[in-house]
Amino acid sequence: METHSNAITKEINKLLRDYYTDYYRDQLALPDWSCRVESRITEEDTVLPFIIQLEAWFNEIFTANKKVLVVGGGTGREFIALSQMGCDVHAIEPNPEAIKITSLKSQRLGVDPARFMQGFSEALPYKNGSFDFVWC
C-alpha cells in the first residue's frame, strides 16, 4: 500500500519531469536534456554547494531565522533547501506550474506553501528592508 507521502513524491517527480522536459528539450533544444531533467529530481541536494559557498562569502548568512527572499523561485530548489536549514524563506515566481510543484514539495516537507507566491520581481509585495538576503 502506497503512503500519502510516497504518492506526493511520485506526483512531484512526474511534474518535475514534465516541466523540465518542456524547458530543456522543447524550449531550449539541449542535446543533454534528459540528463538535466533527471538531475532536477534531487534539485534541493544540488543547490547545497552553492549555499555553502555563499555562507563562506557572507559569513554564514543562512543560519536559522535569517529572512531570505528567493526571486524567481522556479520549482522550489532554493526555497526548500533554505527552509530546511531553518531560514525564514519567502519566494516569488511567475509560473503557475512551478508554483504547483513547490506547493507539493512544501506539503510533503511541512514547509508553509503560502510563503511561495505567484508574482513578478517588478512588483514585489514586500516592504523595503524586509529581508536579510535576496537570492535571485
Side-chain angles (χ1 to χ4, degrees), residues 36-109:
R36 289 174 184 264
V37 168
E38 287 308 307
S39 74
R40 287 301 190 145
I41 301 303
T42 57
E43 65 184 353
E44 288 82 24
D45 297 337
T46 65
V47 76
L48 291 177
F50 297 111
I51 292 172
I52 291 167
Q53 185 63 53
L54 287 174
E55 285 179 329
W57 289 339
F58 294 104
N59 196 23
E60 299 189 31
I61 190 130
F62 300 114
T63 56
N65 300 317
K66 290 293 182 176
K67 290 193 67 134
V68 179
L69 173 64
V70 179
V71 177
T75 55
R77 180 173 83 159
E78 295 85 4
F79 175 76
I80 295 295
L82 291 166
S83 293
Q84 289 178 314
M85 294 173 70
C87 294
D88 178 6
V89 185
H90 295 255
I92 192 159
E93 166 61 39
N95 188 308
E97 291 175 40
I99 292 168
K100 180 179 180 181
I101 293 167
T102 303
S103 179
L104 287 170
K105 287 180 179 182
S106 298
Q107 179 184 345
R108 180 183 65 190
L109 298 169

